[in-house]
Amino acid sequence: MANCTNIRSVIQTGKSANVSPEEIQIFIGCSLLLSCYGYPRLKMVWERFTRIPVIADNIARDSFFQIRSNLKVINDNDVSDDSKKSDKFWKVRPLLSKIRERCLQQERPRIVSIDEQIIPFHGQISMRQYVKGKPNPVGLKVFVMCTTYDLHLDFIFYEGKGTDVQSPGDTSDLDIGGKIALKLSDSLQPWSSIYVDRYFTSELLFDILLNREAFATGTLMKNKVPKLTELQTDRDMKRNGRGSVDQIVRNDKRCCLVKWFDSRGVLLLSTESVKLPMEKCSRWSKKEKKILRYQPPCNCKKLQ
């Protein structure tokens, strides 16, 4: 990275920045620390009354901005035109590969979750996405596999429409969410439990995962409910009150579809568990302004 930064400096200014690998490490560490402060101007870090000693004592202001303006992860001439067309993240791919390599070295627990995450970013690039409902809706979308304590085990950056994910076996019938979940689960130990949301969940995906010795549980979209499936309607379940549960188990006993009524019907598909045992939970109701006690199905409790 230091070599690529020096090359870019020569191209841009005609003079090498003479940056060393140690300086790059300090720069990255200071940049991560700076993100926690939220200063409106970076130069405030080196000013008298707003100085941050841990940063200002380790890197000079001019050196910081020199590295920042010339930072480069890869030499453009080392990347073929085909690679540039096929990989929209080619400019930072070596860095992403190193991070992913360390993620793959983490111990694989039995219970993991797969979800999408937004890295806030407002720059003008084609990979920028808008995801309604996220705390930071605009940025780069990343599909992440995490442990129950939020440790990242693997990730895939979403490049936009047309993104293709390769995974062993025939996955042509899966949608993009299913392909991503399958790819991220490649490194798991046998009979792991995978929890996903409705973006990924499908009966076909869960069958493939079960054949690969992995259990899966997730919320399901109504339009993905298998045909000829008869469950109680929301109207009928509303009459029975909050906490009503209905379920149907497939003939081969390998998959279970549970419908649980909270404020509305929630569909849960699982190859690991059924509605029993019912769990005891509580949550605050804004409407009634009190704590409500309820009993969701076993697989719903685990998804929370």
Side-chain angles (χ1 to χ4, degrees):
M1 192 182 294
N3 184 47
C4 294
T5 300
N6 290 328
I7 292 174
R8 177 180 171 83
S9 177
V10 171
I11 295 173
Q12 294 290 107
T13 65
K15 183 179 179 181
S16 175
N18 293 322
V19 177
S20 66
E22 291 75 18
E23 289 176 309
I24 293 291
Q25 291 178 358
I26 294 172
F27 171 81
I28 293 174
C30 291
S31 297
L32 293 173
L33 187 58
L34 270 170
S35 65
C36 301
Y37 282 88
Y39 276 10
R41 293 187 300 110
L42 289 179
K43 290 184 179 180
M44 293 174 64
V45 175
W46 291 270
E47 292 178 358
R48 181 178 177 184
F49 296 106
T50 54
R51 191 173 186 271
I52 304 176
V54 70
I55 296 176
D57 291 344
N58 283 285
I59 187 169
R61 183 192 64 183
D62 292 345
S63 297
F64 181 89
F65 283 100
Q66 184 183 42
I67 296 174
R68 189 169 183 261
S69 61
N70 293 294
L71 187 64
K72 196 76 173 174
V73 175
I74 192 171
N75 187 0
D76 294 358
N77 296 327
D78 294 337
V79 183
S80 65
D81 292 337
D82 292 338
S83 297
K84 292 178 181 179
K85 291 179 181 179
S86 61
D87 184 7
K88 293 183 179 180
F89 287 97
W90 65 270
K91 289 188 176 182
V92 291
R93 183 57 63 187
L95 179 61
L96 296 179
S97 298
K98 282 292 183 182
I99 296 173
R100 183 170 182 265
E101 182 182 322
R102 295 304 298 269
C103 289
L104 292 174
Q105 293 174 6
Q106 300 292 333
E107 182 181 354
R108 263 48 190 163
R110 201 187 73 82
I111 299 176
V112 299
S113 65
I114 296 175
D115 202 355
E116 59 184 6
Q117 174 183 335
I118 292 292
I119 299 176
F121 183 76
H122 292 269
Q124 299 299 317
I125 57 174
S126 62
M127 298 85 79
R128 191 181 66 179
Q129 301 290 314
Y130 173 79
V131 181
K132 184 179 179 180
K134 292 290 185 181
N136 298 290
V138 179
L140 301 177
K141 183 191 287 189
V142 191
F143 297 102
V144 185
M145 181 172 68
C146 297
T147 65
T148 54
Y149 43 91
D150 296 333
L151 178 65
H152 286 34
L153 301 175
D154 199 359
F155 61 86
I156 296 174
F157 272 77
Y158 182 64
E159 298 184 13
K161 188 176 180 180
T163 300
D164 191 23
V165 180
Q166 301 297 327
S167 186
D170 183 14
T171 60
S172 57
D173 294 332
L174 288 173
D175 56 13
I176 182 65
K179 291 179 180 179
I180 287 171
L182 209 58
K183 177 64 176 177
L184 291 175
S185 63
D186 283 344
S187 61
L188 294 177
Q189 57 179 306
W191 303 118
S192 295
S193 297
I194 306 170
Y195 292 88
V196 297
D197 66 10
R198 62 180 190 166
Y199 181 85
F200 307 92
T201 306
S202 69
E203 186 180 13
L204 176 59
L205 170 65
F206 282 19
D207 282 338
I208 295 175
L209 287 172
L210 196 58
N211 291 333
R212 294 188 179 187
E213 300 183 341
F215 296 116
T217 301
T219 52
L220 185 68
M221 296 182 186
K222 289 183 179 180
N223 60 0
K224 290 185 179 181
V225 175
K227 294 181 179 180
L228 304 179
T229 301
E230 296 183 0
L231 289 169
Q232 293 184 41
T233 63
D234 285 0
R235 180 177 296 180
D236 293 336
M237 298 186 80
K238 189 174 183 179
R239 291 197 195 100
N240 297 330
R242 174 172 282 170
S244 302
V245 181
D246 190 16
Q247 77 170 10
I248 184 169
V249 180
R250 206 166 62 184
N251 292 334
D252 59 5
K253 311 297 183 184
R254 288 162 57 94
C255 191
C256 174
L257 178 61
V258 175
K259 185 174 183 180
W260 175 61
F261 189 82
D262 186 19
S263 56
R264 57 187 176 86
V266 179
L267 293 167
L268 301 162
L269 189 67
S270 179
T271 56
E272 181 178 19
S273 58
V274 292
K275 67 178 183 180
L276 297 176
M278 302 290 282
E279 303 282 348
K280 292 183 178 180
C281 294
S282 62
R283 68 175 178 84
W284 176 258
S285 173
K286 290 184 179 180
K287 184 177 180 180
E288 301 182 28
K289 298 189 182 302
K290 65 178 183 179
I291 296 177
L292 299 179
R293 311 288 180 181
Y294 62 101
Q295 289 186 312
C298 174
N299 42 21
C300 183
K301 168 67 174 177
K302 292 178 180 178
L303 273 170
Q304 290 181 331

